[in-house]
Amino acid sequence: MENLEKYFMLFDQSRTSEEAFEQLADLFTDDMEFVLNGYKQAGIKNWRNFVKMVYTENKDLKHMYRGWENHLSRKCS
């Protein structure tokens, strides 16, 4: 759960902080893969470009990672 919380926190911060964006990218390997609109994308460079596009296209984004954590703890108990 620690990595998921770190991801959410850094994703939110990295919209305005290049340092946070680098820390976020460091959570992944260079050969990482992700799915975008049903198509597999490969490589950290493609992921970085995608995330930068998300930040450009959206005025603001916030994850509710505390709510997610609470939801999971209720579901597991």
Side-chain angles (χ1 to χ4, degrees):
M1 191 54 109
E2 183 179 322
N3 282 340
L4 185 60
E5 187 171 322
K6 190 177 207 178
Y7 166 82
F8 286 145
M9 181 186 67
L10 289 171
F11 189 95
D12 292 347
Q13 292 174 358
S14 65
R15 185 178 191 286
T16 57
S17 167
E18 190 61 36
E19 181 181 344
F21 185 73
E22 291 305 317
Q23 290 176 21
L24 177 65
D26 286 344
L27 296 176
F28 302 97
T29 61
D30 289 342
D31 62 348
M32 61 96 73
E33 295 180 348
F34 63 104
V35 176
L36 179 59
N37 294 326
Y39 297 98
K40 185 169 73 171
Q41 307 291 318
I44 193 73
K45 183 177 178 182
N46 286 329
W47 179 83
R48 284 172 171 268
N49 290 337
F50 165 69
V51 172
K52 292 287 187 177
M53 181 200 64
V54 168
Y55 293 148
T56 301
E57 297 294 322
N58 294 279
K59 186 174 182 178
D60 197 14
L61 294 169
K62 295 289 183 221
H63 281 96
M64 295 175 39
Y65 57 92
R66 288 288 179 212
W68 177 261
E69 184 177 61
N70 292 338
H71 172 74
L72 286 178
S73 66
R74 283 192 307 264
K75 194 173 187 178
C76 294
S77 44

